[in-house]
Amino acid sequence: MDNVRFLRTSSGGEPFDDLVAQLPKLLAGSARGDQRAFAKLYDLTSARVYGMVLRVVRDRAQAAEVTQDVYLQVWREAARFDPDVGTAVAWLLMIAHRRAVDRVRAAQSATRREDRYATTQTERPYDQVAEAAQANLDAQRVRRALDDLTTVQRDALQLAYFGGYTHREVADLLHIPMGTAKTRIRDGLIRLRDSLGVNGEQQQS
Amino acid sequence: MSSSNHELSTLTGAYALDALDEAEHAAFEAHLATCADCAAEVRSLRAAAAELSRTSAAAPPEQLRGDMLGTIGSIRPLPPSADNLVSLRAHAARRWRWQSVAAACVLLAAAAGVWGYQQHQDANRSHTRTAAITNVLDSRDAASVTGAVATGHARIVYSKAAHRLVLIGQNIPEPARDKTYQLWMIDPAGHATSGGVFTPDSSGNVLVLASGDLTDVTRMGISIEPAGGSRQPTPGAIIAEMPI
């Protein structure tokens, strides 16, 4: 069921998360204007960034635009990444998520989004079998953790993260009392965090 | 912790998922700047949120990579903003922590205001401003000073007891290319400590929240500095001074 594909074209055999652990170094290189470091950073992360953005904005052209904005911001602001406030991956995805959400909320205020379903498949063949397998395993791990949540927790998380809805809108969509969605979101994220063993410190994963 | 603070503390999850509306966002960020527990929780929940993106990975269009690499050559990476995090002289352990209250700015605001400073890009919404002021500066000793800044004016509302301030600027002209505004905390001896740099939004509005120790500060100054800010105010560059 996975459509997970990565852009990487190098044939490095490192597990994805080892590469993710390199991000702080790649960010530091980017901050000094090292375009190769930035290219590598892009290769390592663009599938997660683009895929998430696409789920949120549901339109490939817009997802590409947002993704480009995200990486240009990362290039400009790489020096301002502060490891004290979380991992590089979390920082990058936070930037991306915020931009994606801004995009759909802006669109929402103009006209309701068309409900095109996100067909996230891309036609490009996936040639990095080992990485695809690793990415699949990682995705499965997260999916299993999601499965362990209550239905309301899971729905609330997904609507907020991938739907780009505020917790009030989530409450409306799920027909739960105002004020309940935010606690379900928090409880769900805490459970997810604990079951995945992430804490926002560097060298996690 | 007051009950309203307790209420705010339950918003960590929604905040980590960008699921707050603007007013809540402003209130929460103001709270976050003063609540280490919330900041730690937000950090960990952001990490959990980032994991969700593993379930949606998809290859971006092929040409995006080339477009991007072709573009970045003409974009200069910004210097670190560490200057904005210098400790106040008399209180070496404390740091100024800047916090945007702008929803539009959360990108930069990252977690817990450790990003140095933030400029506010959408300060003309009165509810945002109101939330910022009422939520951050409801301290009993809150006071305010105003001053002209070029063709606009700035008001700084501050509380020495709560170690907080809000800078609100209106009609502040865009600084020249490669220049930025910088806020300074000045003690009786004239020593200036950077409080961070800021630029107005396209409508000339500025809204910045900060927390830090104001005990020895007797004046706040605003100068125009080279982009990225300076360690000390450039001589003659201070364009506004407000005694507090």
Side-chain angles (χ1 to χ4, degrees):
Chain A
M1 64 173 287
D2 278 303
N3 311 313
V4 177
R5 292 187 174 92
F6 287 91
L7 182 64
R8 289 195 70 220
T9 50
S10 77
S11 55
E14 304 144 287
F16 185 73
D17 272 12
D18 283 357
L19 294 167
V20 164
Q22 299 177 22
L23 285 195
K25 216 173 3 171
L26 295 176
L27 274 175
S30 303
R32 292 189 297 267
D34 180 347
Q35 299 189 16
R36 285 178 56 191
F38 183 76
K40 184 157 190 196
L41 178 145
Y42 176 86
D43 291 344
L44 289 180
T45 57
S46 57
R48 274 178 75 179
V49 168
Y50 174 79
M52 181 273 287
V53 171
L54 178 59
R55 270 287 283 276
V56 176
V57 306
R58 303 183 182 208
D59 174 274
R60 286 191 205 173
Q62 288 196 53
E65 260 175 54
V66 171
T67 301
Q68 171 146 357
D69 290 346
V70 168
Y71 280 99
L72 293 182
Q73 181 178 346
V74 167
W75 169 255
R76 245 189 331 266
E77 294 172 6
R80 302 194 171 178
F81 164 67
D82 180 349
D84 289 346
V85 301
T87 63
V89 179
W91 181 68
L92 173 64
L93 285 161
M94 178 191 71
I95 289 173
H97 190 254
R98 189 69 228 180
R99 280 192 177 264
V101 164
D102 283 349
R103 178 65 69 105
V104 291
R105 289 190 190 153
Q108 172 179 313
S109 62
T111 158
R112 295 301 299 187
R113 261 176 285 167
E114 286 174 61
D115 229 53
R116 273 171 297 188
Y117 186 68
T119 48
T120 59
Q121 295 85 348
T122 53
E123 279 63 56
R124 186 138 36 86
Y126 188 69
D127 55 357
Q128 297 297 312
V129 177
E131 269 168 37
Q134 181 62 45
N136 269 315
L137 288 175
D138 291 335
Q140 293 299 357
R141 196 164 45 85
V142 177
R143 287 203 183 89
R144 272 198 303 276
L146 281 169
D147 286 343
D148 287 340
L149 305 183
T150 68
T151 308
V152 176
Q153 286 173 346
R154 185 171 50 248
D155 290 350
L157 274 191
Q158 305 245 36
L159 283 169
Y161 193 73
F162 290 123
Y165 296 105
T166 66
H167 71 93
R168 287 166 207 280
E169 292 166 339
V170 169
D172 276 348
L173 289 164
L174 294 179
H175 306 294
I176 56 180
M178 209 60 96
T180 303
K182 70 179 180 205
T183 55
R184 294 297 172 268
I185 287 169
R186 178 167 176 257
D187 296 346
L189 266 185
I190 287 173
R191 270 174 82 170
L192 193 68
R193 172 194 75 191
D194 294 346
S195 89
L196 294 173
V198 295
N199 58 13
E201 307 297 328
Q202 298 302 312
Q203 319 303 345
Q204 51 100 7
S205 80
Chain B
M1 184 181 278
S2 74
S3 64
S4 81
N5 278 350
H6 178 73
E7 190 70 12
L8 286 168
S9 298
T10 64
L11 292 176
T12 48
Y15 178 74
L17 295 187
D18 302 312
L20 298 180
D21 63 38
E22 272 182 68
E24 287 173 322
H25 186 92
F28 184 78
E29 290 214 325
H31 172 64
L32 197 54
T34 64
C35 177
D37 288 347
C38 294
E41 185 164 297
V42 164
R43 184 168 60 231
S44 73
L45 296 185
R46 278 218 167 107
E51 291 295 300
L52 290 172
S53 68
R54 291 189 193 278
T55 67
S56 57
E62 198 103 43
Q63 84 274 9
L64 190 57
R65 187 180 194 275
D67 289 353
M68 196 111 54
L69 294 177
T71 307
I72 57 171
S74 62
I75 299 175
R76 174 177 172 269
L78 294 170
S81 53
D83 279 0
N84 306 312
L85 287 170
V86 290
S87 305
L88 279 182
R89 202 179 50 84
H91 298 272
R94 294 208 174 97
R95 289 187 155 202
W96 284 90
R97 294 186 303 174
W98 289 83
Q99 197 80 53
S100 163
V101 299
C105 239
V106 68
L107 302 172
L108 294 170
V114 193
W115 236 259
Y117 71 93
Q118 286 309 319
Q119 69 217 44
H120 189 288
Q121 299 183 335
D122 200 14
N124 53 346
R125 306 205 177 165
S126 61
H127 70 268
T128 304
R129 200 177 329 165
T130 306
I133 296 166
T134 56
N135 285 294
V136 182
L137 295 172
D138 51 358
S139 341
R140 236 173 277 158
D141 72 329
S144 87
V145 289
T146 58
V149 177
T151 52
H153 68 273
R155 173 184 294 270
I156 297 176
V157 189
Y158 65 95
S159 160
K160 287 198 171 186
H163 300 168
R164 296 173 192 165
L165 69 85
V166 177
L167 164 67
I168 301 153
Q170 283 169 319
N171 302 317
I172 310 287
E174 185 91 40
R177 215 177 137 74
D178 299 329
K179 297 282 187 186
T180 184
Y181 291 103
Q182 190 161 5
L183 178 64
W184 301 95
M185 308 297 146
I186 305 168
D187 72 9
H191 295 119
T193 304
S194 173
V197 298
F198 62 90
T199 54
D201 69 9
S202 56
S203 316
N205 296 303
V206 175
L207 179 52
V208 197
L209 306 191
S211 62
D213 197 316
L214 292 164
T215 312
D216 289 337
V217 175
T218 54
R219 284 173 294 156
M220 299 189 198
I222 295 172
S223 67
I224 295 180
E225 302 289 340
S230 305
R231 288 190 177 279
Q232 285 295 309
T234 303
I238 291 195
I239 56 168
E241 248 187 18
M242 290 161 263
I244 71 169

